Amino acid sequence: MPEESQFLYLSRDDVEATGLSMAAIIDALEAAFTEKGRGQVEMPPKPGIHPGHGDNFIHAMPAYIPGLQSAGIKWVSGYPGNPEKGLPYISGLLIFNDADTGIPLAVMDCTWITAMRTGAATAVAARHLARPDSSTVGILGCGVQGRSNLEALNVLFPLRRVLAYDNTPANARAYADEMSERFHVTVEVVDAPRDAVSGADMVVTAGPILKTPHATIQAGWLDEGAFASLVDFDSYWHPAALHEADLFCTDDTPQLRHYQTMGYFKDIPDVHADLGELATGQKAGRTSPDQRTFACNLGLAMDDMAVAPLIYRRAVSQKVGTWLPL
Ligand SMILES: NC(=O)c1ccc[n+]([C@@H]2O[C@H](COP(=O)([O-])OP(=O)(O)OC[C@H]3O[C@@H](n4cnc5c(N)ncnc54)[C@H](O)[C@@H]3O)[C@@H](O)[C@H]2O)c1
């Protein structure tokens, strides 16, 4: 057990070794969003710095969720140029504090948590916004998020078929091999973005986030009754395609407004509800099978802080990680 003057360091491998399941992460996020809907989460909009040029960022993401005994902060970077240097796009660390004393209990790598919780947030939204019989998923951007979002949707939906598009075709092929074996679904690599959108019950766009969207997906591509998760914000969607939404939701409206002040989301539909309002039932999700529904989850500090205590408790009980002096 920890001494008062020690904290637990968990590497990326340590975090994964705790074996926390996607199903448990989805449940933790649903519980956290229920707390948020009740006004029980403290989470200021994330401040960030933008070193170098282009779309590089490093964000500070603090949150306190009393109901989950969770307090802490994630310090996470996204550098679009990293993959061509053989480095991950996303990297960072999370500090988990004792909510009663403020003392740091753990410092952990946050890349696995970021991937998993983002997929889980899509699944929480889909539980309220997608048709329960959704079985075909379109994935645009077959990277880390393309994988974790599929993993999460596979927990809640009877998936059979995946339509995979990546502008680097080798990435889509590697994805198809890996995902079909892992989840026992048919994965078809498609050559054009439209073929991953039309005909899908659920669509996840997970390419680069751009302040000026490339806006490839046009009005008329998304089927009636489909659900879309905009992991890469509105980058992939033409405004006319977004305005076909019957329900346009987000994870946190104040943070969406905050991004708008920074120049993102110049032309999006009105927000119907945030995930807290959907989780508590204050606002209804899908009410008919032919609605087009959208979740534009920005990725919140509370997502990470819903997961961190679960990782910490498992690591302590499994004796995973390295205790270090404070
Ligand atoms: N909303 C959130 O909570 C959240 C959280 C984490 C990451 N993200 C975002 O998700 C996106 C994906 O992150 P990742 O870690 O999976 O990155 P990644 O580098 O692992 O994967 C991105 C994939 O997209 C492909 N790609 C690039 N441009 C494309 C295009 N126009 N069409 C199709 N595919 C394209 C790349 O070839 C690559 O395979 C990033 O924009 C990231 O900022 C969002």
Side-chain angles (χ1 to χ4, degrees), residues 212-229:
T212 305
H214 56 95
T216 302
I217 299 176
Q218 302 294 314
W221 290 17
L222 186 71
D223 288 356
E224 264 192 9
F227 159 77
S229 176

Side-chain angles (χ1 to χ4, degrees), residues 126-320:
R127 182 183 267 153
H128 298 281
L129 294 171
R131 296 194 327 272
D133 62 348
S134 296
S135 63
T136 299
V137 184
I139 300 284
L140 296 95
C142 299
V144 172
Q145 290 298 332
R147 284 168 169 77
S148 63
N149 275 259
L150 185 66
E151 178 177 359
L153 291 171
N154 191 51
V155 171
L156 297 187
F157 295 89
L159 301 191
R160 285 198 297 274
R161 187 165 168 241
V162 179
L163 308 167
Y165 174 76
D166 197 290
N167 65 351
T168 303
N171 290 358
R173 286 194 295 273
Y175 178 88
D177 290 345
E178 193 185 318
M179 298 293 103
S180 55
E181 191 178 321
R182 198 162 160 210
F183 301 121
H184 308 293
V185 288
T186 304
V187 184
E188 294 165 34
V189 174
V190 299
D191 297 329
R194 183 171 190 158
D195 296 332
V197 177
S198 300
D201 302 314
M202 301 191 282
V203 173
V204 177
T205 53
I209 290 177
L210 306 170
K211 219 175 240 183
T212 305
H214 56 95
T216 302
I217 299 176
Q218 302 294 314
W221 290 17
L222 186 71
D223 288 356
E224 264 192 9
F227 159 77
S229 176
L230 282 47
V231 175
D232 53 4
F233 294 10
D234 58 348
S235 306
Y236 231 113
W237 297 78
H238 191 281
L242 294 178
H243 285 285
E244 288 184 325
D246 294 294
L247 302 176
F248 187 87
C249 299
T250 185
D251 47 4
D252 187 49
T253 306
Q255 296 218 25
L256 184 68
R257 301 288 171 242
H258 181 68
Y259 271 113
Q260 285 180 313
T261 65
M262 292 159 54
Y264 293 92
F265 301 112
K266 292 192 184 75
D267 190 357
I268 57 170
D270 291 341
V271 173
H272 162 70
D274 71 25
L275 282 188
E277 292 168 319
L278 292 176
T280 53
Q282 291 162 49
K283 297 256 180 81
R286 172 180 292 277
T287 50
S288 90
D290 52 6
Q291 287 169 314
R292 288 187 184 87
T293 59
F294 285 74
C296 181
N297 292 335
L298 308 163
L300 304 178
M302 57 171 281
D303 303 344
D304 303 296
M305 297 318 303
V307 179
L310 303 180
I311 300 273
Y312 174 73
R313 278 186 230 127
R314 289 175 78 95
V316 170
S317 73
Q318 297 170 9
K319 300 196 172 8
V320 170

Side-chain angles (χ1 to χ4, degrees), residues 25-114:
I25 294 173
I26 293 170
D27 287 347
L29 260 70
E30 185 90 39
F33 278 107
T34 303
E35 292 297 297
K36 174 174 158 50
R38 293 177 182 146
Q40 298 295 327
V41 171
E42 184 181 0
M43 182 176 59
K46 43 185 155 186
I49 56 174
H50 303 85
H53 20 237
D55 292 291
N56 295 347
F57 68 81
I58 315 181
H59 284 157
M61 302 175 64
Y64 171 42
I65 314 170
L68 303 188
Q69 292 170 295
S70 184
I73 184 167
K74 182 170 85 164
W75 179 234
V76 63
S77 66
Y79 275 55
N82 273 5
E84 62 196 44
K85 298 177 190 161
L87 298 170
Y89 169 61
I90 296 278
S91 65
L93 292 171
L94 182 151
I95 303 173
F96 176 55
N97 297 78
D98 184 324
D100 293 329
T101 63
I103 292 172
L105 296 172
V107 172
M108 57 185 90
D109 179 88
C110 75
T111 46
W112 186 86
I113 296 172
T114 301

